[in-house]
Amino acid sequence: MQQQDDLYDVVVIGGGPAGLTAGLYLARARYRVLILEKADFGGQITITSEVVNYPGVERTDGRKLTATMRKQAQNFGAEFKIAEATGLDVDGDIKVVHTNRGDIRCFGILIATGASPRKIGFTGEQEYAGRGVAYCATCDGEFFNGREVIVVGGGFAAAEESVFLTKYASKVTILVREGDFTCDAAVAAEAKNHPKIEVRYHTQLEGVAAGSGGLTEATLRDTQTGETTVWKPADDGTFGVFVFAGYVPQTELVRGVVELDDHGYVVTHDYLETSVPGVYAAGDLRVKNLRQVVTATADGAIAAVELERYAKQLSEKTGLVPPRPTTSAYEQQEEKAAKAASASGTSPAPAPQRSGSASSVSGAGNHAFFDDAIRQQLAVVFSRMARPLVLKLELDDSPLSKELQAFIGEMTTLSDGKLSTVVDTAPATGGDVSLDDPLPDARPNVRLCTIGANGEPQETGIAFHGVPSGHEFNSFVLALYNVAGPGQALDQDTAERIASIGQPVDVMLLVSLTCTMCPETVLATQRIAAANPNVRAEAYDIAHFPELKDKFNVMSVPCMVITRPGADAASEAQQTIEFGKKSVPQMLDLLGA
């Protein structure tokens, strides 16, 4: 048998629940597995604010659930890579996955690319996406506080998300094309019986129209009679549309490679093998009658066990062996615990809860913002920072400024000297923000600065306006790490693309602290800014700066306002607006790198 260092047993394309589960099973069985993901590991479930039907987990959210899955797979030795698969060579014993970061050789392939929200094509859908038309209740529901919303769809998502939207909306009108919901009766019953929800059956959304403040009316069609009517909210104000009309399988990569059904879903056989030997499919992209996270993980496990057998057979046939894991972080932890127990003569026990910890006295003393677990995580980050930073606080006399100052003050205290602060205070502006600058000077904010040769703070072009807590806390901490160095690793191609940005570009990131998609976009943009001084990336908590929301008519986050200088001194700056979660490569595409 000959070891091949550039060979994998299995390449998993897609980092959602199906792909992560397959990676866990394969790595635990001591097979070399690589999980490819073009954007963010976790899949569609990461935008779900509450998961209560996953067995064994009473309550969590989608991002936490899949983060745990990834950690499990990684602890058993699974490898991960951010790259986009662009083609497959599946003939012969050794298959090749072509990516935008090079080719990968393997015995078997698992396709787990999932599905994306379906656009239904009504008039105005594309034009008003992010400005009244949305696809994620968790991320965008708060923008319609006190307004009416229309929900399009009759399945699980439409029923569940309609109930969620009643937290914000004054009324929810569900448009169902059929005579009833197509989901489980118990799920539908909650929507049907909710006092703030009206259900209209045999009704289809034909189009929307907008005024200066947002959507103002919708055209509805009766699917039985063909009659159209104009719908307006009761207060004649603006409203929102949330589309939950199912998903489109992400199968373009395998079109013409494996068998698909008429709707583009992958056809699989008994143990999830496709029409091509050694190529398997798992999760929402395959033909199945229920698409839930629990069925995706089941698919991943089933396919992984079959791929174990396939990889073993091909290795014996070819005489080639990938460098398979011989131990794992999980086993090392178990061994360490066993040695400690043996030395002490006792079995491992959980550490006792300290009296007066943050979980019991939140808001007291040094634990006002960070509990013990977060303090430990921060200590790891601070210990790895290569140089100290200065956090420049630009404050006014508002309560939010006092909160930001306390938040940063506590973080600085925990940094073991890696962080210091300087404060610039101005009178409160009453919430008014100057909109002339491509990055408005909205207070309060915190700017990340290095220390110059003269000992003075040097701004990096990275800032957060508001308090970087909630879902933005991790992106803020990683911004510190990226600015201080060494920072999150970049592959050569990505580093070269970042370095190629030779002209100044400003990115205003409008975010919400409750949005699960915003941190990825903020982190990606600020990672680019940390590596190239031509890029400035400032995030604004839109809840505190309504002027920005109104100027750009933002009803969906994350929103990116990208400003580039004109071709010459006489030319006006060029400004583009984009919406949605973006990875580093996707942001570089938007920046033209």
PDB file of all heavy atoms in Angstrom, residues 304-328:
ATOM      1  N   ALA A 304     -22.380   8.537   4.965  1.00  0.00           N
ATOM      2  CA  ALA A 304     -21.011   8.395   5.453  1.00  0.00           C
ATOM      3  C   ALA A 304     -20.634   6.938   5.658  1.00  0.00           C
ATOM      4  O   ALA A 304     -19.522   6.513   5.297  1.00  0.00           O
ATOM      5  CB  ALA A 304     -20.845   9.170   6.765  1.00  0.00           C
ATOM      6  N   VAL A 305     -21.541   6.160   6.224  1.00  0.00           N
ATOM      7  CA  VAL A 305     -21.253   4.745   6.458  1.00  0.00           C
ATOM      8  C   VAL A 305     -21.022   4.022   5.129  1.00  0.00           C
ATOM      9  O   VAL A 305     -20.124   3.179   5.004  1.00  0.00           O
ATOM     10  CB  VAL A 305     -22.398   4.088   7.259  1.00  0.00           C
ATOM     11  CG1 VAL A 305     -22.218   2.576   7.309  1.00  0.00           C
ATOM     12  CG2 VAL A 305     -22.438   4.662   8.671  1.00  0.00           C
ATOM     13  N   GLU A 306     -21.830   4.370   4.117  1.00  0.00           N
ATOM     14  CA  GLU A 306     -21.640   3.749   2.804  1.00  0.00           C
ATOM     15  C   GLU A 306     -20.332   4.202   2.166  1.00  0.00           C
ATOM     16  O   GLU A 306     -19.632   3.422   1.511  1.00  0.00           O
ATOM     17  CB  GLU A 306     -22.826   4.092   1.899  1.00  0.00           C
ATOM     18  CG  GLU A 306     -24.141   3.485   2.347  1.00  0.00           C
ATOM     19  CD  GLU A 306     -24.051   1.969   2.500  1.00  0.00           C
ATOM     20  OE1 GLU A 306     -23.627   1.298   1.527  1.00  0.00           O
ATOM     21  OE2 GLU A 306     -24.378   1.461   3.581  1.00  0.00           O
ATOM     22  N   LEU A 307     -19.982   5.455   2.347  1.00  0.00           N
ATOM     23  CA  LEU A 307     -18.737   5.966   1.778  1.00  0.00           C
ATOM     24  C   LEU A 307     -17.517   5.367   2.478  1.00  0.00           C
ATOM     25  O   LEU A 307     -16.448   5.231   1.859  1.00  0.00           O
ATOM     26  CB  LEU A 307     -18.716   7.491   1.857  1.00  0.00           C
ATOM     27  CG  LEU A 307     -19.504   8.192   0.738  1.00  0.00           C
ATOM     28  CD1 LEU A 307     -19.870   9.617   1.130  1.00  0.00           C
ATOM     29  CD2 LEU A 307     -18.708   8.179  -0.568  1.00  0.00           C
ATOM     30  N   GLU A 308     -17.653   5.023   3.756  1.00  0.00           N
ATOM     31  CA  GLU A 308     -16.564   4.320   4.434  1.00  0.00           C
ATOM     32  C   GLU A 308     -16.243   3.023   3.693  1.00  0.00           C
ATOM     33  O   GLU A 308     -15.081   2.715   3.416  1.00  0.00           O
ATOM     34  CB  GLU A 308     -16.966   3.993   5.876  1.00  0.00           C
ATOM     35  CG  GLU A 308     -17.053   5.182   6.807  1.00  0.00           C
ATOM     36  CD  GLU A 308     -17.616   4.777   8.159  1.00  0.00           C
ATOM     37  OE1 GLU A 308     -17.561   3.561   8.479  1.00  0.00           O
ATOM     38  OE2 GLU A 308     -18.121   5.645   8.892  1.00  0.00           O
ATOM     39  N   ARG A 309     -17.291   2.259   3.393  1.00  0.00           N
ATOM     40  CA  ARG A 309     -17.110   0.977   2.707  1.00  0.00           C
ATOM     41  C   ARG A 309     -16.532   1.186   1.304  1.00  0.00           C
ATOM     42  O   ARG A 309     -15.637   0.452   0.870  1.00  0.00           O
ATOM     43  CB  ARG A 309     -18.453   0.248   2.618  1.00  0.00           C
ATOM     44  CG  ARG A 309     -19.039  -0.130   3.972  1.00  0.00           C
ATOM     45  CD  ARG A 309     -20.455  -0.652   3.834  1.00  0.00           C
ATOM     46  NE  ARG A 309     -21.048  -0.953   5.140  1.00  0.00           N
ATOM     47  CZ  ARG A 309     -22.326  -1.142   5.337  1.00  0.00           C
ATOM     48  NH1 ARG A 309     -23.170  -1.062   4.326  1.00  0.00           N
ATOM     49  NH2 ARG A 309     -22.794  -1.419   6.541  1.00  0.00           N
ATOM     50  N   TYR A 310     -17.045   2.204   0.628  1.00  0.00           N
ATOM     51  CA  TYR A 310     -16.582   2.470  -0.729  1.00  0.00           C
ATOM     52  C   TYR A 310     -15.100   2.858  -0.725  1.00  0.00           C
ATOM     53  O   TYR A 310     -14.301   2.359  -1.532  1.00  0.00           O
ATOM     54  CB  TYR A 310     -17.422   3.579  -1.353  1.00  0.00           C
ATOM     55  CG  TYR A 310     -17.051   3.878  -2.788  1.00  0.00           C
ATOM     56  CD1 TYR A 310     -17.570   3.122  -3.832  1.00  0.00           C
ATOM     57  CD2 TYR A 310     -16.166   4.909  -3.094  1.00  0.00           C
ATOM     58  CE1 TYR A 310     -17.218   3.374  -5.146  1.00  0.00           C
ATOM     59  CE2 TYR A 310     -15.809   5.178  -4.403  1.00  0.00           C
ATOM     60  CZ  TYR A 310     -16.342   4.411  -5.428  1.00  0.00           C
ATOM     61  OH  TYR A 310     -15.988   4.658  -6.733  1.00  0.00           O
ATOM     62  N   ALA A 311     -14.707   3.756   0.186  1.00  0.00           N
ATOM     63  CA  ALA A 311     -13.312   4.205   0.251  1.00  0.00           C
ATOM     64  C   ALA A 311     -12.393   3.042   0.604  1.00  0.00           C
ATOM     65  O   ALA A 311     -11.275   2.930   0.064  1.00  0.00           O
ATOM     66  CB  ALA A 311     -13.169   5.330   1.271  1.00  0.00           C
ATOM     67  N   LYS A 312     -12.834   2.166   1.494  1.00  0.00           N
ATOM     68  CA  LYS A 312     -12.025   1.004   1.868  1.00  0.00           C
ATOM     69  C   LYS A 312     -11.792   0.096   0.654  1.00  0.00           C
ATOM     70  O   LYS A 312     -10.677  -0.361   0.402  1.00  0.00           O
ATOM     71  CB  LYS A 312     -12.717   0.235   2.990  1.00  0.00           C
ATOM     72  CG  LYS A 312     -11.950  -0.981   3.504  1.00  0.00           C
ATOM     73  CD  LYS A 312     -12.686  -1.594   4.686  1.00  0.00           C
ATOM     74  CE  LYS A 312     -11.899  -2.770   5.273  1.00  0.00           C
ATOM     75  NZ  LYS A 312     -11.827  -3.915   4.344  1.00  0.00           N
ATOM     76  N   GLN A 313     -12.868  -0.154  -0.094  1.00  0.00           N
ATOM     77  CA  GLN A 313     -12.757  -1.014  -1.281  1.00  0.00           C
ATOM     78  C   GLN A 313     -11.819  -0.413  -2.325  1.00  0.00           C
ATOM     79  O   GLN A 313     -10.990  -1.113  -2.904  1.00  0.00           O
ATOM     80  CB  GLN A 313     -14.146  -1.232  -1.885  1.00  0.00           C
ATOM     81  CG  GLN A 313     -15.075  -2.073  -1.025  1.00  0.00           C
ATOM     82  CD  GLN A 313     -16.506  -2.068  -1.538  1.00  0.00           C
ATOM     83  OE1 GLN A 313     -16.809  -1.419  -2.545  1.00  0.00           O
ATOM     84  NE2 GLN A 313     -17.388  -2.775  -0.856  1.00  0.00           N
ATOM     85  N   LEU A 314     -11.949   0.902  -2.554  1.00  0.00           N
ATOM     86  CA  LEU A 314     -11.103   1.561  -3.565  1.00  0.00           C
ATOM     87  C   LEU A 314      -9.644   1.610  -3.118  1.00  0.00           C
ATOM     88  O   LEU A 314      -8.730   1.505  -3.937  1.00  0.00           O
ATOM     89  CB  LEU A 314     -11.632   2.971  -3.848  1.00  0.00           C
ATOM     90  CG  LEU A 314     -12.573   3.107  -5.047  1.00  0.00           C
ATOM     91  CD1 LEU A 314     -11.828   2.881  -6.363  1.00  0.00           C
ATOM     92  CD2 LEU A 314     -13.744   2.136  -4.959  1.00  0.00           C
ATOM     93  N   SER A 315      -9.422   1.789  -1.828  1.00  0.00           N
ATOM     94  CA  SER A 315      -8.053   1.797  -1.328  1.00  0.00           C
ATOM     95  C   SER A 315      -7.410   0.434  -1.532  1.00  0.00           C
ATOM     96  O   SER A 315      -6.249   0.333  -1.969  1.00  0.00           O
ATOM     97  CB  SER A 315      -8.052   2.171   0.158  1.00  0.00           C
ATOM     98  OG  SER A 315      -6.739   2.246   0.645  1.00  0.00           O
ATOM     99  N   GLU A 316      -8.152  -0.638  -1.251  1.00  0.00           N
ATOM    100  CA  GLU A 316      -7.625  -1.988  -1.451  1.00  0.00           C
ATOM    101  C   GLU A 316      -7.410  -2.280  -2.927  1.00  0.00           C
ATOM    102  O   GLU A 316      -6.423  -2.926  -3.314  1.00  0.00           O
ATOM    103  CB  GLU A 316      -8.589  -3.005  -0.841  1.00  0.00           C
ATOM    104  CG  GLU A 316      -8.665  -2.933   0.684  1.00  0.00           C
ATOM    105  CD  GLU A 316      -9.756  -3.813   1.257  1.00  0.00           C
ATOM    106  OE1 GLU A 316     -10.597  -4.319   0.464  1.00  0.00           O
ATOM    107  OE2 GLU A 316      -9.785  -3.985   2.487  1.00  0.00           O
ATOM    108  N   LYS A 317      -8.303  -1.766  -3.772  1.00  0.00           N
ATOM    109  CA  LYS A 317      -8.203  -2.004  -5.210  1.00  0.00           C
ATOM    110  C   LYS A 317      -7.007  -1.286  -5.826  1.00  0.00           C
ATOM    111  O   LYS A 317      -6.269  -1.848  -6.644  1.00  0.00           O
ATOM    112  CB  LYS A 317      -9.493  -1.558  -5.899  1.00  0.00           C
ATOM    113  CG  LYS A 317      -9.470  -1.700  -7.420  1.00  0.00           C
ATOM    114  CD  LYS A 317     -10.764  -1.178  -8.030  1.00  0.00           C
ATOM    115  CE  LYS A 317     -10.706  -1.246  -9.559  1.00  0.00           C
ATOM    116  NZ  LYS A 317     -11.942  -0.703 -10.184  1.00  0.00           N
ATOM    117  N   THR A 318      -6.801  -0.026  -5.441  1.00  0.00           N
ATOM    118  CA  THR A 318      -5.758   0.787  -6.068  1.00  0.00           C
ATOM    119  C   THR A 318      -4.413   0.667  -5.365  1.00  0.00           C
ATOM    120  O   THR A 318      -3.369   1.032  -5.927  1.00  0.00           O
ATOM    121  CB  THR A 318      -6.158   2.273  -6.071  1.00  0.00           C
ATOM    122  OG1 THR A 318      -6.312   2.719  -4.712  1.00  0.00           O
ATOM    123  CG2 THR A 318      -7.466   2.488  -6.822  1.00  0.00           C
ATOM    124  N   GLY A 319      -4.432   0.228  -4.112  1.00  0.00           N
ATOM    125  CA  GLY A 319      -3.197   0.180  -3.340  1.00  0.00           C
ATOM    126  C   GLY A 319      -2.773   1.532  -2.800  1.00  0.00           C
ATOM    127  O   GLY A 319      -1.660   1.686  -2.293  1.00  0.00           O
ATOM    128  N   LEU A 320      -3.660   2.532  -2.905  1.00  0.00           N
ATOM    129  CA  LEU A 320      -3.363   3.888  -2.438  1.00  0.00           C
ATOM    130  C   LEU A 320      -4.053   4.147  -1.104  1.00  0.00           C
ATOM    131  O   LEU A 320      -5.200   3.740  -0.894  1.00  0.00           O
ATOM    132  CB  LEU A 320      -3.819   4.918  -3.466  1.00  0.00           C
ATOM    133  CG  LEU A 320      -3.228   4.776  -4.870  1.00  0.00           C
ATOM    134  CD1 LEU A 320      -3.832   5.825  -5.802  1.00  0.00           C
ATOM    135  CD2 LEU A 320      -1.709   4.901  -4.830  1.00  0.00           C
ATOM    136  N   VAL A 321      -3.361   4.856  -0.218  1.00  0.00           N
ATOM    137  CA  VAL A 321      -3.910   5.153   1.102  1.00  0.00           C
ATOM    138  C   VAL A 321      -3.733   6.642   1.402  1.00  0.00           C
ATOM    139  O   VAL A 321      -2.599   7.143   1.391  1.00  0.00           O
ATOM    140  CB  VAL A 321      -3.201   4.328   2.204  1.00  0.00           C
ATOM    141  CG1 VAL A 321      -3.835   4.630   3.568  1.00  0.00           C
ATOM    142  CG2 VAL A 321      -3.286   2.851   1.901  1.00  0.00           C
ATOM    143  N   PRO A 322      -4.814   7.364   1.667  1.00  0.00           N
ATOM    144  CA  PRO A 322      -4.662   8.756   2.107  1.00  0.00           C
ATOM    145  C   PRO A 322      -4.040   8.792   3.502  1.00  0.00           C
ATOM    146  O   PRO A 322      -4.111   7.800   4.242  1.00  0.00           O
ATOM    147  CB  PRO A 322      -6.113   9.270   2.148  1.00  0.00           C
ATOM    148  CG  PRO A 322      -6.909   8.288   1.344  1.00  0.00           C
ATOM    149  CD  PRO A 322      -6.223   6.965   1.518  1.00  0.00           C
ATOM    150  N   PRO A 323      -3.425   9.901   3.902  1.00  0.00           N
ATOM    151  CA  PRO A 323      -2.888  10.019   5.266  1.00  0.00           C
ATOM    152  C   PRO A 323      -4.026  10.175   6.273  1.00  0.00           C
ATOM    153  O   PRO A 323      -4.435  11.276   6.613  1.00  0.00           O
ATOM    154  CB  PRO A 323      -2.008  11.269   5.195  1.00  0.00           C
ATOM    155  CG  PRO A 323      -2.586  12.069   4.073  1.00  0.00           C
ATOM    156  CD  PRO A 323      -3.125  11.087   3.082  1.00  0.00           C
ATOM    157  N   ARG A 324      -4.553   9.060   6.724  1.00  0.00           N
ATOM    158  CA  ARG A 324      -5.745   9.060   7.578  1.00  0.00           C
ATOM    159  C   ARG A 324      -5.391   9.440   9.016  1.00  0.00           C
ATOM    160  O   ARG A 324      -4.270   9.190   9.475  1.00  0.00           O
ATOM    161  CB  ARG A 324      -6.391   7.669   7.540  1.00  0.00           C
ATOM    162  CG  ARG A 324      -6.987   7.334   6.181  1.00  0.00           C
ATOM    163  CD  ARG A 324      -7.317   5.875   6.041  1.00  0.00           C
ATOM    164  NE  ARG A 324      -8.005   5.613   4.760  1.00  0.00           N
ATOM    165  CZ  ARG A 324      -8.055   4.422   4.176  1.00  0.00           C
ATOM    166  NH1 ARG A 324      -7.454   3.389   4.721  1.00  0.00           N
ATOM    167  NH2 ARG A 324      -8.705   4.272   3.035  1.00  0.00           N
ATOM    168  N   PRO A 325      -6.347  10.033   9.749  1.00  0.00           N
ATOM    169  CA  PRO A 325      -6.069  10.421  11.141  1.00  0.00           C
ATOM    170  C   PRO A 325      -5.827   9.191  12.008  1.00  0.00           C
ATOM    171  O   PRO A 325      -6.506   8.174  11.872  1.00  0.00           O
ATOM    172  CB  PRO A 325      -7.352  11.158  11.564  1.00  0.00           C
ATOM    173  CG  PRO A 325      -8.414  10.702  10.607  1.00  0.00           C
ATOM    174  CD  PRO A 325      -7.705  10.410   9.318  1.00  0.00           C
ATOM    175  N   THR A 326      -4.830   9.265  12.879  1.00  0.00           N
ATOM    176  CA  THR A 326      -4.512   8.162  13.779  1.00  0.00           C
ATOM    177  C   THR A 326      -4.949   8.448  15.206  1.00  0.00           C
ATOM    178  O   THR A 326      -5.012   7.554  16.037  1.00  0.00           O
ATOM    179  CB  THR A 326      -3.002   7.882  13.778  1.00  0.00           C
ATOM    180  OG1 THR A 326      -2.309   9.090  14.133  1.00  0.00           O
ATOM    181  CG2 THR A 326      -2.555   7.444  12.384  1.00  0.00           C
ATOM    182  N   THR A 327      -5.227   9.704  15.491  1.00  0.00           N
ATOM    183  CA  THR A 327      -5.751  10.090  16.794  1.00  0.00           C
ATOM    184  C   THR A 327      -6.623  11.315  16.583  1.00  0.00           C
ATOM    185  O   THR A 327      -6.696  11.854  15.480  1.00  0.00           O
ATOM    186  CB  THR A 327      -4.627  10.391  17.792  1.00  0.00           C
ATOM    187  OG1 THR A 327      -5.195  10.622  19.093  1.00  0.00           O
ATOM    188  CG2 THR A 327      -3.843  11.627  17.372  1.00  0.00           C
ATOM    189  N   SER A 328      -7.290  11.757  17.612  1.00  0.00           N
ATOM    190  CA  SER A 328      -8.184  12.910  17.472  1.00  0.00           C
ATOM    191  C   SER A 328      -8.143  13.746  18.734  1.00  0.00           C
ATOM    192  O   SER A 328      -7.708  13.276  19.804  1.00  0.00           O
ATOM    193  CB  SER A 328      -9.626  12.440  17.226  1.00  0.00           C
ATOM    194  OG  SER A 328     -10.157  11.796  18.377  1.00  0.00           O
TER     195      SER A 328
END
